[in-house]
Amino acid sequence: MRLRVHRTGAVLTPNLFAVAFGVAGLAGCWRLAGGLRLVPGTVADALFVLAGAVWLVLAVGYPRQVARRPGGWRAELRHPVLGPFLSLAPITGLLVTAGLRPYAPRAAPWLFALFAVVTLLLGASLTGQWIVDRLEVDTFHPGYFLPTVAGGLLVAQGAAELGHPGAARAAFGIGLVGWALLGSPILARMFFRPALPAVLLPVLAIEAAPPAVAANAYLAVTGGRVNTLTWVLWGYTALMALVQVRLVGLYRRAPFGPAWWSFTFPYAAVATAGLHWLDSSRPAGYRAWGGLLLAAITVLVGAIAVWTVAGLARGGFLATEAPPAPPTAPPHGGPPAGPPS
């Protein structure tokens, strides 16, 4: 986790794509609220534009820096902490194309297909890399859900919305099985191993994302039909949201930095699932509850955005030292190459 001194100004790392990812998640929440006639739809459009602008800046600047770093892309893919966040680049592209659909109905599906293919290929590549490398259990964290779980489920949701039910079901299977396989070891690491470093504590918020994203994707795949599995996913989403409440004291120990954007998309996904539940169940005052839910997630993302701008102005938000390349590891099953540096 230590950073090697390598002063070249501000350093862009793949977890910074969480900024665009979180804004796009908030935009999706506003779009759903607009579809339910709770709010005007123009706010969602503005948020999608902002997410796309941030994504474009990072998509241009980040690869240029990686090309000049020791180890290049191979080191980025193999990094035990930051490697999984590489998948945020194409995954965020999936969400941004959703904002384009009303205005570029011909181009948006093709862009979505491109990002979907890259997302699934990168998820497969990273999974294979984790099999080949000798991963240290203490570097395992909820960010490992991103490549296949978030990627698969968001591809499923987009494919269903574009009218490709077979592809949607296949991608939903990738996300669901990936969640089933990764969920237990990630929680086991959280339960039985030393706590994450303070700077990484906010990534625990990602634990709330899989059930919420799965519920939202499942509704898209089934055409909005609510059944037993929908309620199972909503129930587990509620449980993980309550777990997050218990973790607030832990989060207060985390210094502010890019990892704080880990709160944004997961909580936006939970809010979106909550809006779906309110629209389906129609409890007393459901429109007011929907407005409060939307306001809460907007205030959260807005506050993190304001703190980020302030941090950038002070020059303390972005790292000024490049992350070290991971230690050389032998193929799976071979003898260790020596202790990591």
Side-chain angles (χ1 to χ4, degrees), residues 1-224:
M1 298 296 298
R2 290 174 298 178
L3 298 179
R4 179 183 301 161
V5 176
H6 185 68
R7 298 191 177 279
T8 57
V11 173
L12 301 181
T13 49
N15 59 329
L16 288 173
F17 281 96
V19 178
F21 192 45
V23 175
L26 180 62
C29 196
W30 273 84
R31 174 162 288 181
L32 175 60
L36 300 178
R37 299 182 180 179
L38 297 176
V39 292
T42 52
V43 176
D45 293 338
L47 289 169
F48 274 121
V49 170
L50 177 59
V54 174
W55 180 87
L56 188 60
V57 169
L58 293 170
V60 171
Y62 171 66
R64 294 177 62 184
Q65 287 197 5
V66 172
R68 299 194 296 267
R69 292 178 191 168
W73 285 105
R74 181 173 176 79
E76 296 290 304
L77 285 165
R78 295 184 59 220
H79 198 284
V81 175
L82 296 177
F85 291 98
L86 274 169
S87 60
L88 283 179
I91 289 173
T92 305
L94 294 172
L95 300 183
V96 171
T97 59
L100 288 175
R101 287 174 202 160
Y103 307 101
R106 293 187 178 181
W110 288 103
L111 288 172
F112 173 84
L114 173 63
F115 286 123
V117 169
V118 175
T119 295
L120 296 177
L121 288 177
L122 184 56
S125 176
L126 285 167
T127 301
Q129 190 65 51
W130 301 338
I131 292 172
V132 171
D133 279 349
R134 300 172 63 88
L135 294 180
E136 295 288 339
V137 67
D138 288 348
T139 64
F140 214 46
H141 57 75
Y144 279 74
F145 281 131
L146 293 170
T148 53
V149 181
L153 294 174
L154 291 172
V155 168
Q157 181 174 337
E161 292 169 351
L162 289 169
H164 303 290
R169 293 189 194 102
F172 186 78
I174 292 172
L176 204 62
V177 174
W179 176 25
L181 293 176
L182 290 173
S184 292
I186 289 176
L187 275 179
R189 183 262 178 268
M190 299 300 119
F191 289 163
F192 303 118
R193 297 297 300 165
L196 291 171
V199 71
L200 273 182
L201 286 175
V203 303
L204 292 174
I206 299 173
E207 284 286 346
V213 178
N216 299 334
Y218 187 66
L219 284 172
V221 170
T222 61

Side-chain angles (χ1 to χ4, degrees), residues 218-219 222 224-234:
Y218 187 66
L219 284 172
T222 61
R225 187 172 67 254
V226 175
N227 57 27
T228 300
L229 181 56
T230 317
W231 281 97
V232 168
L233 293 170
W234 280 343

